[in-house]
Amino acid sequence: MDLSIPAMDLFLSSSNCSTVRFANLYYRSPAPLRRRTFAVRSTALPFPNHKAKYFRELQAAVDVVERACRLCLDVKSSLSAKSDGRIVEKNDQTPVTVADFGVQALVSLELGKLFPSIPLVAEEDSAFVRSNNLVEPVVNAVTGCLSSIDKSRTEADVLEAIDRGGKDAFVFCTKPATYWVLDPIDGTRGFLKGTEALYVVGLALVVDGEIVLAVMGCPNWKEDLRNKSISEVQGYKNILSESGIVMVAHLGCGTWARRLIFERQDTINVPHSWTRCCVDHYSLVHEARFCIPESQTWDSLPISALFNATTDANSIGDNQILLLPQCCGSLCKYLMVASGRASVFILRTRDEKTIKAWDHAAGIICVHEAGGQVSDWEGYQIDLTADQTERRIIFPLGGVLVTNGTLHNQIIEIIYRV
């Protein structure tokens, strides 16, 4: 492992960087640590295999998520030229595209080949593909991203792969289990909006109720060039606008990210190096940067009783906090907190809407391993085994709170008092 390469400061990170494990009940804020920003070559994972129990699984997850991001970009580029049957509405009125089903099929095929005994919990099923005339475009999207030995997969193979992650594919009962959790595209509305709104391919591995690794791929994450040298800035200008990041986390090994780059043939090579991800350093609630779901308003949250919100970073008044508007989907907001670009993500449970495991699993470990904390509104860890038979739904008390760790107990206290 080469640690001599200069750090690529991908994120607006802070000096507080720590690795924490899941805790029960109220979390203690992590102690400040000295800045750790260094990079390693991306020919392998950013830590040696003897440090990571699930090294092989994480390698496979990184590979398939990167190819899934490529699939998303391919489908997205075709949307502007051809829209017949490619964007439809599911029964819950959330937009879904060929990319959602294509990613689920791709991940299912690749992981099923490598780890056939590990089931997959995912969002989609093939009935919707069949009834909306999406079979051919989904199959075409998948076969274009499969490994070379799998190019001959049939329509039946692809549809079966989608159903491998569907609702009725596996019954867990109350037994301890190992399984993958996949959100094919978290933030599909962001996928449809354009390059400014984020979307994420999120994959996690759960072992006996504990998240042990995760990968999140964000194809349109924008590089912050303010701290780059002139030569670095010029190099990045030559990269396609879809350049993003892939973020990985493994229990006890930290959270890391590197560029997800698709270059033109005539561009220079930008170093593909891993950078340690750290949550931000803010310790006062009114200074923190908040994310909330697009479907919820600031006024619906308890903290609004003490603070108003503004989206104007240049004009934050007294008794106001900054609300970041640019990311869609829950995993996108976990990505923001884990990378240090946001301080807090807060979500309120609603009676009419269930909270799905795939919207949170990959993000939870990425935030934890970056030094942050995740709990429900009463301070308890998120229980992925509460849905004993299917592992598809979580039941956080009050809602979900994701923070940089330092702010966690302060916001729990505000929620309790209000």
Side-chain angles (χ1 to χ4, degrees):
M1 182 182 301
D2 185 354
L3 302 181
S4 63
I5 303 173
M8 291 177 60
D9 212 357
L10 292 179
F11 313 110
L12 300 175
S13 59
S14 72
S15 60
N16 288 351
C17 178
S18 62
T19 298
V20 297
R21 292 176 180 265
F22 299 148
N24 292 322
L25 207 51
Y26 287 88
Y27 297 99
R28 290 178 293 179
S29 300
L33 299 179
R34 61 186 177 87
R35 186 176 180 84
R36 293 181 291 180
T37 52
F38 53 90
V40 296
R41 291 175 182 169
S42 64
T43 52
L45 292 175
F47 36 79
N49 57 5
H50 70 271
K51 295 286 187 181
K53 182 177 180 179
Y54 303 97
F55 190 89
R56 179 169 171 258
E57 289 85 351
L58 184 55
Q59 280 187 314
V62 171
D63 176 68
V64 73
V65 167
E66 287 189 310
R67 277 190 278 147
C69 290
R70 176 74 266 177
L71 184 153
C72 290
L73 293 177
D74 290 344
V75 172
K76 190 173 179 63
S77 66
S78 71
L79 290 176
S80 58
K82 186 178 181 180
S83 61
D84 52 312
R86 290 180 177 269
I87 304 177
V88 291
E89 291 283 331
K90 292 191 290 189
N91 292 334
D92 61 2
Q93 300 303 303
T94 59
V96 66
T97 69
V98 169
D100 288 274
F101 298 104
V103 167
Q104 183 160 320
L106 174 66
V107 172
S108 177
L109 286 168
E110 295 294 341
L111 295 182
K113 176 180 63 179
L114 295 172
F115 309 102
S117 64
I118 302 180
L120 175 68
V121 173
E123 188 170 7
E124 314 296 354
D125 64 68
S126 69
F128 194 83
V129 177
R130 300 172 195 269
S131 62
N132 285 275
N133 299 318
L134 294 173
V135 175
E136 183 178 354
V138 168
V139 172
N140 290 340
V142 173
T143 54
C145 294
L146 285 169
S147 55
S148 57
I149 60 173
D150 290 325
K151 294 292 186 183
S152 61
R153 293 285 188 172
T154 65
E155 287 186 0
D157 293 331
V158 172
L159 295 173
E160 182 180 345
I162 295 173
D163 286 335
R164 180 173 175 260
K167 189 175 186 300
D168 301 319
F170 195 87
V171 177
F172 290 91
C173 300
T174 59
K175 298 178 295 184
T178 297
Y179 57 96
W180 299 100
V181 181
L182 170 69
D183 194 335
I185 297 182
D186 175 81
T188 310
R189 295 185 189 277
F191 176 83
L192 298 175
K193 280 182 179 179
T195 59
E196 296 305 316
L198 302 181
Y199 64 96
V200 167
V201 178
L203 179 65
L205 181 65
V206 179
V207 178
D208 296 343
E210 183 174 40
I211 309 164
V212 298
L213 66 85
V215 181
M216 293 196 289
C218 183
N220 60 345
W221 180 272
K222 298 299 182 183
E223 178 71 22
D224 177 31
L225 300 179
R226 287 177 294 178
N227 297 319
K228 298 291 182 185
S229 67
I230 294 176
S231 60
E232 285 177 320
V233 170
Q234 187 59 47
Y236 281 106
K237 285 181 179 178
N238 292 326
I239 302 172
L240 294 177
S241 61
E242 292 89 355
S243 297
I245 62 167
V246 58
M247 177 180 285
V248 305
H250 186 290
L251 194 63
C253 296
T255 298
W256 301 77
R258 65 168 168 79
R259 298 294 294 171
L260 180 66
I261 299 176
F262 305 103
E263 301 173 48
R264 297 186 182 97
Q265 292 181 352
D266 60 346
T267 62
I268 64 173
N269 290 325
V270 177
H272 292 199
S273 53
W274 292 101
T275 300
R276 187 75 178 257
C277 298
C278 304
V279 295
D280 72 23
H281 66 282
Y282 292 108
S283 59
L284 299 176
V285 174
H286 71 274
E287 294 179 348
R289 299 161 296 174
F290 281 71
C291 295
I292 65 173
E294 290 70 28
S295 60
Q296 298 182 13
T297 64
W298 180 254
D299 290 341
S300 69
L301 302 173
I303 199 168
S304 66
L306 301 180
F307 300 97
N308 296 319
T310 178
T311 57
D312 186 356
N314 297 316
S315 181
I316 303 176
D318 295 337
N319 207 42
Q320 282 189 322
I321 58 91
L322 179 62
L323 192 60
L324 301 177
Q326 70 265 41
C327 46
C328 298
S330 295
L331 288 184
C332 301
K333 297 175 178 66
Y334 280 97
L335 185 69
M336 295 282 284
V337 175
S339 67
R341 286 194 178 178
S343 315
V344 178
F345 166 40
I346 183 169
L347 174 151
R348 183 171 198 153
T349 58
R350 294 181 294 173
D351 292 339
E352 69 276 13
K353 188 172 182 179
T354 57
I355 299 180
K356 305 298 176 58
W358 49 75
D359 288 328
H360 299 269
I364 288 172
I365 188 172
C366 286
V367 168
H368 272 281
E369 291 292 327
Q373 295 177 8
V374 182
S375 75
D376 64 19
W377 283 13
E378 295 193 7
Y380 293 97
Q381 69 175 14
I382 305 300
D383 183 6
L384 294 179
T385 66
D387 178 7
Q388 294 184 348
T389 58
E390 297 179 350
R391 304 292 201 272
R392 302 175 72 82
I393 302 173
I394 58 176
F395 305 94
L397 297 173
V400 176
L401 177 63
V402 182
T403 76
N404 63 4
T406 306
L407 294 165
H408 207 84
N409 286 345
Q410 295 180 51
I411 297 177
I412 289 286
E413 179 64 24
I414 290 172
I415 292 171
Y416 176 79
R417 284 189 289 141
V418 172

